[in-house]
Amino acid sequence: MRYSYIFPRLFVQLMLLPLVLLGLLTGCGNDEEFLIKCDIKGLGNKGVEIFYADRGLHRASFHPADDKVTLRGSSQEPVFVDVFTVDGEWLFGCVARNGDDLEVKMSLADPSKIEIKGNDDSRRYAAFLSANDSILRRCGNDEEFLIKCDIKGLGNKGVEIFYADRGLHRASFHPADDKVTLRGSSQEPVFVDVFTVDGEWLFGCVARNGDDLEVKMSLADPSKIEIKGNDDSRRYAAFLSANDSILRSGDAAAVNALIAREVRANPSYISSAMLLATRFNARGYELLADSLINTLTPEARPEGVIGGFAGLVGEQLTPAVRGDVRTMTFRAAPDTVVRYVPAMQSYSLLVFVGRSKHDSIRSVLREMQSTLPKKRFTEIEMTVMSDSATWAASIRRDSAKWVQAWLPGGVAHNAVRAVQVPYVPFFIVTDSLGHQVYRGGSVSAASDTLRSRLAPYFRDETPADSIAD
């Protein structure tokens, strides 16, 4: 009887022994690694990397699925673990050692709201950062600026920022449910352009390290935008919203007049420089643009905001570019060479066009040719095109009575390189000494200049001097 009782008990114990050993092994196995189980809203399937130092720098990559990923590392002693996306965006940090099993919950839309469970130190660290986020960002953000965006209709579409600070900087970010925090770094104020990943411009602002901006807008009506965090970005956004209809009109003269009034009224605001650099149309208005740049006070024109614009305007105002136009020689037909000499007429119109020449330009050229005094005036049209056959075909329907020439090599052609044509179509009016009396992108303005200058000679219909060899 005694043995019959002991044997079943021993049998049961022996059967349970593997399970006990498995439990012990499982419990002890985590001494070889730590786990960080993450649920990061908005992460999607973007790769994640961890970095930590334990007798050398350790790095490991992981691949989430639907916002979730388990990170693994190994260290016998506590180490600080930094967690990044594969494109370099810092997500969070925690402390871990072998045996730890952490759980992390956060959202990319508001990474300051993070919860960490699994060890007390990581929990306290995350709680402290969340509770003191605004203070820490003001004090510690000397290394970066933040732009917190709430863009209705954006969804989870990626966003990119571009800014120039000793080189062009570009960074990508991934929103969640219309929200995203953009980060950059510049010691000086820079203009930041914000685009969707498919190239749609969203908004612009000025920022420097330490700035913490908030942006609210809707893709359904992007003109209604509100920016908080620094006065210049706020003023810039408010101006764009208040004057949206004029700014979208396409009327360069009206837009430039509007910007000019704002710059002259507020020359000490960086927002004035922002408007000048991004909304002023300098084509044909280079002198006005230069005057407005010089109206700004020195502190209102940081290099990262207006430097590029000022440089482009300055290039068109150098003495070499706006100096006298000298004698030029062009190819006008397969067997014809034309020589342009300013002194052979009172005024000349040099027309630079590309592959697409609008009918409006043709009609103005025809009208000037038929109505302006021919002895005092000549027109030369120069086409920027890749080959002469295409050029010849393009001018066949013009039936032009003015000189038409081809520029192999485009505006870099030796004959015209000195006048620095910035774009096409472009127009230069010169007098008999080669002085440039008009330079810009408007054929109407060029025509008006010629009519004003030639008004005293309108009754003189003597044939014009030839300029062909």
Side-chain angles (χ1 to χ4, degrees):
M1 293 292 293
R2 184 180 179 185
Y3 291 103
S4 65
Y5 169 74
I6 293 174
F7 179 77
R9 186 173 65 180
L10 181 60
F11 176 76
V12 171
Q13 290 173 340
L14 289 172
M15 291 294 290
L16 291 174
L17 182 59
L19 297 176
V20 173
L21 291 173
L22 180 62
L24 291 172
L25 290 171
T26 303
C28 298
N30 241 14
D31 287 343
E32 299 299 318
E33 66 177 354
F34 56 79
L35 305 178
I36 308 172
K37 300 172 182 174
C38 305
D39 183 352
I40 304 175
K41 190 175 182 181
L43 181 63
N45 300 326
K46 177 184 282 190
V48 171
E49 293 182 328
I50 64 171
F51 294 82
Y52 61 96
D54 176 43
R55 299 178 185 177
L57 182 63
H58 296 263
R59 173 184 178 182
S61 299
F62 303 87
H63 300 278
D66 300 329
D67 298 340
K68 295 179 175 61
V69 62
T70 297
L71 315 175
R72 300 171 183 270
S74 179
S75 176
Q76 295 294 332
E77 301 298 325
V79 290
F80 190 85
V81 182
D82 278 300
V83 182
F84 294 83
T85 63
V86 289
D87 55 9
E89 181 182 1
W90 189 81
L91 295 174
F92 66 91
C94 61
V95 69
R97 66 187 298 177
N98 288 351
D100 282 348
D101 189 348
L102 279 67
E103 294 181 7
V104 178
K105 286 189 176 183
M106 64 180 292
S107 169
L108 294 187
D110 188 358
S112 67
K113 300 297 186 289
I114 180 172
E115 181 183 358
I116 302 180
K117 298 178 180 178
N119 69 41
D120 288 340
D121 289 304
S122 293
R123 176 183 58 78
R124 284 191 289 259
Y125 173 74
F128 183 88
L129 296 186
S130 295
N132 298 280
D133 178 65
S134 59
I135 297 174
L136 291 170
R137 290 189 185 281
R138 285 199 301 268
C139 299
N141 248 6
D142 288 344
E143 299 299 319
E144 65 176 355
F145 57 78
L146 303 177
I147 308 171
K148 299 173 182 174
C149 306
D150 184 351
I151 304 175
K152 190 175 181 180
L154 181 64
N156 300 327
K157 180 183 287 188
V159 172
E160 293 183 326
I161 64 171
F162 294 83
Y163 60 96
D165 176 42
R166 300 177 185 177
L168 182 63
H169 296 262
R170 172 185 177 182
S172 300
F173 302 87
H174 299 273
D177 300 330
D178 298 340
K179 297 180 174 62
V180 63
T181 297
L182 314 175
R183 300 169 184 268
S185 179
S186 176
Q187 295 293 332
E188 301 299 324
V190 290
F191 189 88
V192 183
D193 277 301
V194 183
F195 294 82
T196 62
V197 289
D198 54 8
E200 180 185 1
W201 189 79
L202 294 174
F203 66 91
C205 61
V206 69
R208 66 188 298 177
N209 289 351
D211 282 348
D212 190 348
L213 278 67
E214 295 181 6
V215 178
K216 287 189 177 182
M217 63 180 294
S218 170
L219 295 187
D221 187 1
S223 67
K224 301 296 187 289
I225 179 172
E226 181 183 358
I227 302 180
K228 298 178 181 179
N230 68 44
D231 287 338
D232 287 300
S233 292
R234 176 183 56 77
R235 282 191 289 257
Y236 176 76
F239 185 92
L240 297 186
S241 293
N243 298 282
D244 180 65
S245 59
I246 297 176
L247 294 171
R248 290 182 180 274
S249 68
D251 185 339
V255 171
N256 288 352
L258 177 69
I259 302 301
R261 286 195 296 271
E262 179 68 14
V263 171
R264 289 171 180 146
N266 299 291
S268 62
Y269 289 170
I270 292 178
S271 57
S272 296
M274 296 164 69
L275 291 167
L276 189 55
T278 62
R279 298 293 171 162
F280 190 91
N281 187 345
R283 291 188 174 190
Y285 295 87
E286 288 88 351
L287 290 172
L288 176 57
D290 183 64
S291 173
L292 293 173
I293 291 169
N294 289 303
T295 298
L296 296 168
T297 60
E299 61 274 11
R301 45 183 178 186
E303 180 69 18
V305 173
I306 202 168
F309 178 78
L312 290 173
V313 170
E315 285 178 3
Q316 292 301 309
L317 297 176
T318 60
V321 170
R322 302 189 79 87
D324 295 349
V325 177
R326 303 188 181 279
T327 299
M328 301 178 186
T329 302
F330 309 97
R331 177 182 176 182
D335 56 352
T336 304
V337 173
V338 171
R339 186 174 176 82
Y340 162 65
V341 181
M344 294 183 70
Q345 51 278 316
S346 299
Y347 291 94
S348 307
L349 173 62
L350 306 180
V351 180
F352 300 87
V353 294
R355 180 177 295 273
S356 300
K357 181 172 61 179
H358 297 296
D359 289 339
S360 60
I361 295 176
R362 288 191 184 91
S363 63
V364 173
L365 296 181
R366 286 197 186 99
E367 183 184 7
M368 284 192 289
Q369 190 68 33
S370 63
T371 60
L372 293 181
K374 295 179 173 59
K375 187 176 180 180
R376 302 285 180 177
F377 162 72
T378 192
E379 293 174 324
I380 301 179
E381 174 192 313
M382 289 163 274
T383 302
V384 177
M385 203 167 283
S386 57
D387 63 88
S388 59
T390 306
W391 163 69
S394 73
I395 65 172
R396 199 166 289 140
R397 72 185 183 94
D398 287 347
S399 301
K401 296 184 181 300
W402 59 89
V403 174
Q404 291 181 300
W406 173 55
L407 293 178
V411 294
H413 186 276
N414 288 337
V416 299
R417 185 182 300 165
V419 297
Q420 290 286 310
V421 176
Y423 48 82
V424 292
F426 195 75
F427 308 89
I428 297 176
V429 177
T430 70
D431 64 14
S432 60
L433 297 177
H435 299 332
Q436 298 185 49
V437 296
Y438 174 78
R439 176 186 175 90
S442 170
V443 67
S444 298
S447 175
D448 291 344
T449 300
L450 283 163
R451 292 182 182 282
S452 172
R453 296 272 177 158
L454 291 169
Y457 310 104
F458 265 37
R459 294 183 181 180
D460 186 353
E461 295 296 329
T462 318
D465 297 331
S466 171
I467 60 171
D469 284 345

